[in-house]
Amino acid sequence: MTDNWLRRCVADEDAFLKDLWRNRPAVLRPDDPPVEVLSVADVEHLLDHGLLKVPYIGLVQKDAHLPSSRFCRPRVVLGEVQGDYADGRDVRALIREEQATVLLRYVDQWHQGVRALARGLGGRLGRQVEAFFFLTPPGTQGRPVHRDDADVLAIQISGAKRWRVHGGPADGNWVPDREDGDVGEPLLDTVLHPGEVLYIPRGFAHSARSVGGEPSAHLSLTIREVATANLYALAQALLTEGTELPGRPLDDEALHAAAGDLLTGARAMLEMLTPADLIEYTRAAIRQDA
């Protein structure tokens, strides 16, 4: 049952898109959650295989990222020393002795099952979807309270994790970063169990802590939205599309002619381009599988 990844994550697609999307956090309990796409056993095998590299793997604690030198050992490849391959023994030691959280980044770029899930969601929602995997030791918090520049579907894979989700930013002038100020009382305070999915709207502050006596693993699917900078860049590209200008006009007449051609092409494009078009084109441009 992999033909509808969104349904496998949220159960009722219509209710999710109508009532929850960009509106409020919620715990979802789909009948067939995609917990099989990446298990803790899979991650253990990846560590043993020795091909995980920085930045696709990192170790984090609540307030810091551990330097890669603490869990990577140099190896010689084609006569050159490479220092960014993770060593499974060092990773496990840091998990055990310093309660470090394993963070696998952009899993959709290098894991087939997760890639299918991310692309399926991206196609259904018309957004870029990226995937991150967190394996957190018992009783620890991998990251401080923070805001993400994406809507998040967190799929609990194994163990249990307590999530606290607070309100969104007051206006559009915010940054995706840790939140040291007052974020108010949580809108949602819940413990997620295997097979359950937490939806966090874009910009809503949140934190998570592993609870119980075993490690907690979850797959975080980040559903990216375009920012103003993306709109600027795409608009600039569209307004100059199809206009061929000399790189270095030789005199004032040629310079004025180039400026005129540029403005003529831009005006023609602006007459056809709507805000909805610009957003749609920009979303497609940042999607890796579009």
Side-chain angles (χ1 to χ4, degrees):
M1 294 181 62
T2 59
D3 58 329
N4 194 321
W5 291 108
L6 182 60
R7 184 183 303 130
R8 292 190 65 188
C9 290
V10 306
D12 189 331
E13 294 178 77
D14 293 335
F16 172 74
L17 295 172
K18 180 181 178 181
D19 301 328
L20 299 180
W21 179 251
R22 296 285 170 79
N23 184 31
R24 60 184 176 87
V27 176
L28 306 164
R29 297 179 176 87
D31 294 331
D32 184 30
V35 295
E36 81 287 352
V37 295
L38 183 62
S39 67
V40 173
D42 294 332
V43 174
E44 294 284 355
H45 287 313
L46 288 167
L47 288 173
D48 290 334
H49 288 165
L51 291 178
L52 275 175
K53 297 180 64 175
V54 175
Y56 287 121
I57 182 173
L59 293 182
V60 299
Q61 293 171 321
K62 182 178 179 180
D63 295 314
H65 291 255
L66 296 182
S68 60
S69 59
R70 298 201 61 196
F71 59 90
C72 292
R73 297 190 184 191
R75 64 174 66 169
V76 177
V77 181
L78 294 177
E80 295 186 2
V81 178
Q82 305 287 339
D84 53 359
Y85 286 93
D87 183 87
R89 293 166 297 178
D90 291 341
V91 170
R92 291 184 177 98
L94 289 168
I95 295 172
R96 182 178 60 253
E97 298 169 9
E98 299 188 27
Q99 290 72 54
T101 288
V102 176
L103 167 58
L104 301 182
R105 302 182 179 96
Y106 304 104
V107 188
D108 54 291
Q109 294 183 9
W110 50 268
H111 186 278
Q112 183 177 2
V114 177
R115 181 186 300 118
L117 169 57
R119 288 184 175 180
L121 285 176
R124 177 68 177 87
L125 297 171
R127 309 294 200 283
Q128 180 186 9
V129 177
E130 298 166 340
F132 302 82
F133 185 92
F134 294 82
L135 178 61
T136 309
T140 62
Q141 180 173 323
R143 296 190 62 194
V145 178
H146 65 282
R147 302 183 190 275
D148 287 323
D149 194 15
D151 294 85
V152 175
L153 288 170
I155 304 170
Q156 190 69 23
I157 303 298
S158 64
K161 190 159 284 180
R162 181 183 182 184
W163 291 83
R164 294 183 178 182
V165 185
H166 307 264
D171 55 37
N173 298 313
W174 61 282
V175 294
D177 202 349
R178 62 180 295 161
E179 185 61 80
D180 294 320
D182 182 15
V183 293
E185 292 298 315
L187 302 176
L188 185 65
D189 188 341
T190 187
V191 175
L192 218 60
H193 298 281
E196 295 181 328
V197 181
L198 175 66
Y199 170 63
I200 306 172
R202 181 187 185 210
F204 280 48
H206 58 278
S207 62
R209 176 178 291 274
S210 177
V211 296
E214 61 178 299
S216 169
H218 79 272
L219 182 66
S220 183
L221 300 165
T222 60
I223 306 163
R224 300 290 182 191
E225 186 55 282
V226 300
T228 305
N230 303 123
L231 295 176
Y232 275 132
L234 207 286
Q236 183 180 24
L238 289 174
L239 292 178
T240 58
E241 189 176 56
T243 303
E244 296 185 5
L245 302 174
R248 296 173 180 83
L250 294 177
D251 53 33
D252 283 351
E253 182 178 355
L255 185 60
H256 278 78
D261 290 343
L262 180 62
L263 291 174
T264 298
R267 291 189 186 102
M269 177 58 72
L270 285 173
E271 288 180 358
M272 298 185 296
L273 190 65
T274 68
D277 290 335
L278 181 58
I279 293 171
E280 180 181 354
Y281 296 154
T282 308
R283 285 173 176 164
I286 67 172
R287 277 181 55 200
Q288 297 177 352
D289 61 329

